[in-house]
Amino acid sequence: IDNDYLKGWGVTPERISTIRRIFKVFFLQKLTVTQATEKIGLDFSGSEDAQLFLDFIKESKLGVHR
């Protein structure tokens, strides 16, 4: 995740931190897609960024390569 790019778009450091943590759960932990999305939903409930990520995963027609 490119912090400088996100900062350039005005993303706050708190949101960048949340996005990085979501990324780590989904891509770096040894979880299935189902397990990772459930964990993100629970650990980041109320987070707009988490909901956007989960919606993207759910609505993806081609899936996600990890």
Side-chain angles (χ1 to χ4, degrees), residues 28-52:
L28 302 180
Q29 291 186 6
K30 303 293 183 187
L31 300 172
T32 66
V33 171
T34 301
Q35 291 170 330
T37 55
E38 287 174 359
K39 182 169 176 56
I40 291 167
L42 292 172
D43 292 356
F44 300 93
S45 64
S47 165
E48 179 184 353
D49 296 310
Q51 192 57 53
L52 288 170

Side-chain angles (χ1 to χ4, degrees), residues 2-65:
D2 188 343
N3 289 343
D4 292 330
Y5 179 80
L6 293 174
K7 287 178 188 175
W9 280 95
V11 179
T12 65
E14 293 80 19
R15 286 187 70 195
I16 292 172
S17 175
T18 300
I19 293 166
R20 291 179 65 82
R21 291 181 7 237
I22 292 167
F23 176 89
K24 287 179 182 180
V25 170
F26 192 80
F27 290 101
L28 302 180
Q29 291 186 6
K30 303 293 183 187
L31 300 172
T32 66
V33 171
T34 301
Q35 291 170 330
T37 55
E38 287 174 359
K39 182 169 176 56
I40 291 167
L42 292 172
D43 292 356
F44 300 93
S45 64
S47 165
E48 179 184 353
D49 296 310
Q51 192 57 53
L52 288 170
F53 181 82
L54 293 173
D55 289 345
F56 172 79
I57 298 299
K58 178 181 170 186
E59 295 173 12
S60 174
K61 303 258 188 279
L62 299 176
V64 178
H65 180 73

